Amino acid sequence: MLRERILNFVFAFGLLAVPLIAYVSDAPFVITLATKVAILALAGVGLNIALGLGGLISLGHAAFFGIGGYAMGILASHAQSYTLLTTWPFEIAGTKSMLIIWVVALASSGLAALIIGALSLRTSGAYFIMITLAFGQMLFFFAISWPAYGGEDGLPIYLRNGFPGLNTLDPIQFFTITYVILGLALFLSSRLSKSRFGLALQATRQNPERVEAVGMRPFNIRLTAFLISGMITGLAGALFADLNRFVSPSMFSWQTSGEIMVFVILGGVGRLYGPVAGAALFILLEHWLGGINDYWQFLLGLILLGVVLFARGGLIGTLVGREVAHD
Amino acid sequence: MTALLTASNITAFYGASQALFGVDLQVGEGEVVALMGRNGMGKSTTIRTICRMAPQKSGKIIFAGQSLNRLPSYKAAQLGIGLVPEGRRCFTNLTVEENLIAAAREGFWSLATIADLFPRLGERRGQSARSLSGGEQQMLAIGRALMTNPKLLILDEATEGLAPVVRQEIWAAIRRLKSETGLAILVIDKSLKELSSVADHAVILERGKTVWAGATADLNDDLTHRYLGV
C-alpha cells in the first residue's frame, strides 16, 4: 500500500513537472501533450469507478465523453455565431464560459448515464457490454446525421472558452485547469472507494446476492456508480473538446470507448492512479511508436496483449509488485 | 412471548421440483429456535425463502407484523433479518473492517461491539478477508450480519467444517448474544448437543414439511432417532 502511495505521488508529481519543465524550456507542444494526458486520465478515472470498483465492463463510455464534448461545442458555437440555442419555451443563448459549459456537460452526461444505466444495468456480462456499446454507437450515428452541428465533419470552435482570471489560450494555464480537475476527480474517487457506498459497490462486484442480504439493492448501487462515472467522463469530454477546439462524432465512437478502457487496463484496473499511468503510457507510446512506425497501433496492441497476459495489475500493479487490485 | 417471525404453511419450488411442502415455524422476540432435520429436508431452503432468496409459492411469512410475501430480499434485510449464510461468503476483496462497514446500519452493533464479541476480528481489522482462517471468516460473516443491526439473526450451519476449538468460540458468542442482547436467533446446525443447550424451541423438518415443533426440553430419543437419525 505504501509503495503504491509513493508511486501515485511520483505519477502526480511527474504529470505536473513535465509541463513545468516544458514551460521553462519553451516547449508548448509538450504542455499540450501533458494536458491531453490529464484529460484522458480524467475520462479513465470516470470509467475506473464503474469498471474498477463496480466490475461494470462498459464499452459505451464514449457516449458520455461525446456528450460532454458536444455540450461544449454546441454552447460555444452559438456564442461565437451570436445565435440563440433555442427560443422555446424560453430563449437560451450559447456561452463561452467554461464553468457554465462544465455544469451543462456534467448534467447532460449524467442524465444520459442515468437513462443508459437504468436500461443496461438490468443485464450483465456480455449483454451489458453489448447494450452500452449499442448506446454509444447510436449517439455516434446521431452525431454524424446532425448537420446543424457539423454532421460528419464535426464542429470547430475558434477560441478556447474562458475561465475567470485565467488566459485559457496559454497552454500552461489551461493545463493547470485540467490538472486541478483531475486532482479533484482522483480525490473524489479515492474518498468514494473507501466510503460505505464504495465498499458496497466493490462487494456488489463480488457477490450481489450477499449485498442484497445485508439490505442493499445492487441495482441502485451500480446505477449510482454508473452515473458518477458517466459524469466524470462527460466532463473530460468537454475539456477534450476545449483542448482541440473541435468536436466530432469520433468522440462517440466505440474506438474512443476502447481507448478509455485501454488507459484503465494499461495503468491497472481498480488502481486509483491506474488511469493516469495508463493515459501517460498511451500518449507516450503513441508519440514514440508513432515516430518509428505508421502502424504504431499494432505495436500498442502487442503491448496491451502483454499486459493482459503477463501483468494483469497493469503498470501500477507490476511496479508495486502485486498483480491485481481485486478479483 | 410475542412472535417476531411466523411462517405458515410455506411451499417453495426450484423450477418444477417442489422443495417445501408446508413449513410452519415461529420465532418469538429474544428467543433462540433451532431448525432441525436431516440433510436435504429443506432447512436451508426454508431460510432462503424467509430471506426472500428462494421463490415462495404459497403460505404466509410475517416478520415484525409485516408480510414478507412479495418483498425483495434487500427489503426483508432492511426490516431486520440478518442472515449468516452457509459457506460464509465474506467479501474476500475487502478487509475485515471494510466487510463490516459495507453492511453497517445504525444501532447497537458497531466495529467496537463486534470486536468485543470477536476479539480476533478486532486484531485483524486491516487484514484482507481472503487471508482469514475458516473460523475467522465465519466470525466475520456473523459480524457482518450483526452490523445490519437485525431483530432476527439467522445462522445457517455456522460451525460447519470448523475445528472444535473454533466451534466452541462460535457457540460461546451465540450464548453471549442470547444472554446479553436478547437477540432472536434462528439456527441450523448439526450439533444436537449444542443446539439443545442454546435453543429454547426446536422445529423439525422432514421432506420439506414441519413434522414437530416444541420446547427443546421436550426433544426425546424417539424424535431425534426418527427424524434426525441420531
Side-chain angles (χ1 to χ4, degrees), chain B residues 102-223:
Chain B
R105 278 209 297 274
E106 284 291 307
F108 169 76
W109 292 102
S110 63
L111 291 175
T113 47
I114 296 292
D116 181 51
L117 183 68
F118 295 118
R120 287 214 230 172
L121 293 185
E123 289 159 20
R124 287 160 172 67
R125 58 195 299 170
Q127 205 171 310
S128 161
R130 187 186 282 116
S131 66
L132 299 180
S133 69
E136 288 161 352
Q137 285 197 14
Q138 190 60 67
M139 291 172 196
L140 181 56
I142 297 172
R144 186 181 60 191
L146 288 172
M147 284 295 277
T148 66
N149 280 288
K151 295 180 184 126
L152 169 69
L153 181 70
I154 300 180
L155 299 157
D156 190 358
E157 304 277 12
T159 64
E160 195 185 26
L162 301 180
V165 181
V166 184
R167 271 189 219 172
Q168 286 315 311
E169 275 188 64
I170 304 279
W171 283 114
I174 295 170
R175 282 192 193 92
R176 261 188 82 183
L177 286 174
K178 182 186 176 183
S179 61
E180 292 176 19
T181 67
L183 181 67
I185 302 172
L186 176 62
V187 55
I188 296 178
D189 204 273
K190 289 199 172 61
S191 170
L192 185 61
K193 185 184 151 210
E194 295 292 355
L195 282 177
S196 304
S197 73
V198 173
D200 304 298
H201 285 91
V203 174
I204 300 178
L205 299 187
E206 174 84 354
R207 295 176 198 274
K209 197 171 167 56
T210 301
V211 288
W212 188 86
T216 39
D218 296 336
L219 272 173
N220 56 39
D221 289 349
D222 177 43
L223 283 169

Side-chain angles (χ1 to χ4, degrees), chain A residues 274-313:
Chain A
V276 180
L281 185 63
F282 185 91
I283 298 297
L284 266 178
L285 289 173
E286 186 181 13
H287 283 270
W288 177 54
L289 295 175
I292 298 170
N293 194 315
D294 283 346
Y295 302 103
W296 69 273
Q297 279 168 322
F298 174 77
L299 297 169
L300 177 73
L302 287 180
I303 290 170
L304 191 62
L305 203 63
V307 168
V308 173
L309 288 175
F310 306 112
R312 290 187 63 198

Side-chain angles (χ1 to χ4, degrees), chain A residues 32-87:
Chain A
T32 304
L33 275 187
T35 309
K36 195 173 172 187
V37 169
I39 295 170
L40 295 179
L42 179 66
V45 169
L47 178 66
N48 206 23
I49 290 171
L51 177 66
L53 298 183
L56 302 169
I57 307 168
S58 164
L59 256 186
H61 262 54
F64 314 124
F65 194 68
I67 286 171
Y70 270 82
M72 173 274 179
I74 291 169
L75 288 170
S77 70
H78 280 281
Q80 74 188 9
S81 63
Y82 301 104
T83 54
L84 291 171
L85 191 66
T86 178
T87 53

Side-chain angles (χ1 to χ4, degrees), chain B residues 5-11 23-25 52 56 58-63 67-69:
Chain B
L5 173 76
T6 308
S8 324
N9 199 27
I10 51 173
T11 63
V23 172
D24 297 290
L25 73 85
R52 321 309 301 149
Q56 177 193 344
S58 62
K60 267 188 190 169
I61 303 173
I62 308 287
F63 178 74
S67 171
L68 295 188
N69 294 31

